[in-house]
């Protein structure tokens, strides 16, 4: 399967077989991660590998008890990491200036690019993956759990294993919803209706609306999945993490 085929066949896997991943295959996948693009070739990210069953039980709690954390043989936590780079700079008589939000953002981009490379490599070898957005929600607890030093912040987690399900492809917005030619084109109300029409008419969407006793899919997002209350709560928590880990010197 070539890269394009891998991308177009991507499915989020939430059920995994009780089958281990060989160290040789895992190493290959991790090496693929390190070949991702990176700002200035600094590679300001780290990947924490978790295989231990007892540790996965604790991590499962931090990831809102998503059972796939326990099922999958490997959990990879991707961290924005200037700790290593800063130490190297100081050992070479070069004082780093990476204790600011821009540097965190740079490192987070590096980590996410590496994560996507790992995801593609894993899927190309017949494995399944699932991203865990809960990583930033409980970044403070993960930092303590992994004993992360200053300059290290978890930004995403990948569950990896052999799939025990074959779900259908998740719907996506049409290309014209995403692509802008030469400059950004604002959306008219009519264009919004057109772009979201297919998604809103899916049987799955209609079932979700009934189950949640709401009027439409947008209300499910704003009231149930990603409410303003929760967004503010997790924002405050994550900003506190960035301050504690040394990324908020913005003077």
């Amino acid at each position: 399967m070539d890269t394009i085929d891998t991308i177009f066949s991507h499915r989020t896997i939430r059920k995994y077989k009780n089958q281990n991943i060989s160290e040789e295959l895992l190493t290959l996948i991790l090496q693929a991660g390190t070949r991702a693009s990176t700002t200035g070739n600094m590679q300001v990210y780290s990947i924490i590998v978790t295989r231990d069953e007892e540790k996965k039980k604790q991590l499962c709690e931090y990831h809102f008890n998503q059972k796939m954390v326990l099922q999958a043989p490997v959990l990879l936590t991707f961290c924005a990491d200037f700790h290593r780079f800063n130490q190297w700079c100081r050992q070479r008589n070069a004082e780093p200036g990476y204790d600011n939000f821009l540097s965190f953002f740079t490192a987070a981009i590096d980590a996410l690019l590496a994560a996507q490379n790992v995801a593609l490599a894993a899927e190309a070898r017949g494995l399944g993956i699932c991203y865990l957005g809960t990583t930033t929600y409980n970044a403070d607890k993960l930092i303590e759990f992994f004993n992360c030093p200053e300059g290290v912040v978890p930004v995403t987690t990948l569950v990896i294993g052999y799939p025990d399900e074959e779900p259908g492809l998740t719907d996506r917005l049409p290309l014209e919803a995403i692509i802008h030619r030469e400059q950004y084109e604002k959306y008219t109300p009519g264009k919004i209706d057109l772009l979201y029409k297919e998604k809103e008419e899916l049987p799955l969407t209609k079932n979700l609306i009934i189950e949640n006793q709401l009027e439409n899919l947008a209300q499910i997002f704003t009231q149930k999945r990603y409410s303003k209350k929760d967004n503010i709560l997790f924002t405050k928590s994550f900003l506190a993490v960035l301050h504690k880990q040394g990324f908020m010197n913005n003077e």
Side-chain angles (χ1 to χ4, degrees), residues 26-229:
L26 179 60
T27 298
L28 177 66
I29 291 168
L30 293 173
Q31 286 176 334
T34 68
R35 298 309 305 172
S37 297
T38 171
T39 303
N41 199 24
M42 292 188 290
Q43 286 187 268
V44 282
Y45 64 90
S46 288
I47 307 171
I48 302 175
V49 180
T50 304
R51 284 186 179 268
D52 183 83
E53 294 299 325
E54 291 303 315
K55 290 182 178 178
K56 284 199 293 179
K57 288 179 183 178
Q58 184 65 60
L59 288 172
C60 187
E61 293 182 21
Y62 297 153
H63 289 293
F64 294 9
N65 292 310
Q66 298 181 79
K67 298 307 179 185
M68 55 192 161
V69 173
L70 300 177
Q71 291 177 351
V74 175
L75 207 65
L76 301 178
T77 304
F78 293 80
C79 302
D81 181 1
F82 258 104
H83 176 76
R84 180 188 66 246
F85 193 81
N86 286 345
Q87 185 170 329
W88 172 66
C89 287
R90 292 189 176 107
Q91 287 181 205
R92 298 297 184 269
N93 194 31
E95 185 58 30
Y98 310 117
D99 56 352
N100 44 70
F101 181 78
L102 179 63
S103 295
F104 163 73
F105 197 59
T106 296
I109 291 171
D110 272 17
L112 294 173
L113 289 171
Q116 186 61 5
N117 257 32
V118 166
L120 289 172
E123 291 179 325
R125 291 297 186 272
L127 297 168
I129 66 99
C130 183
Y131 278 98
L132 301 182
T134 43
T135 305
T136 51
Y137 296 165
N138 280 323
D140 54 343
K141 294 181 177 65
L142 293 175
I143 286 169
E144 182 177 357
F145 179 83
F146 289 122
N147 195 28
C148 297
E150 184 176 287
V152 180
V153 177
V155 293
T156 197
T157 301
L158 274 182
V159 173
I160 299 182
Y162 289 95
D164 196 24
E165 62 174 351
E166 191 174 350
L169 293 175
T170 304
D171 67 279
R172 292 291 189 261
L173 291 171
L175 196 61
E176 57 266 32
I178 309 298
I179 304 303
H180 301 259
R181 304 289 183 180
E182 310 303 339
Q183 63 182 15
Y184 195 97
E185 181 180 349
K186 293 182 179 179
Y187 301 96
T188 63
K191 188 67 175 291
I192 290 293
D193 290 341
L194 180 63
L195 294 175
Y196 283 86
K197 179 179 175 60
E198 184 176 351
K199 180 185 287 287
E200 291 177 327
E201 292 183 350
L202 290 171
L204 175 61
T205 299
K206 293 179 179 180
N207 289 336
L208 285 172
I209 292 170
I210 294 171
E211 290 172 10
N212 287 277
Q213 298 182 326
L214 293 170
E215 297 175 8
N216 54 55
L217 182 60
Q219 289 182 358
I220 293 174
F221 277 97
T222 60
Q223 297 180 34
K224 298 289 186 177
R225 291 183 177 177
Y226 305 102
S227 68
K228 181 177 181 179
K229 178 183 177 182

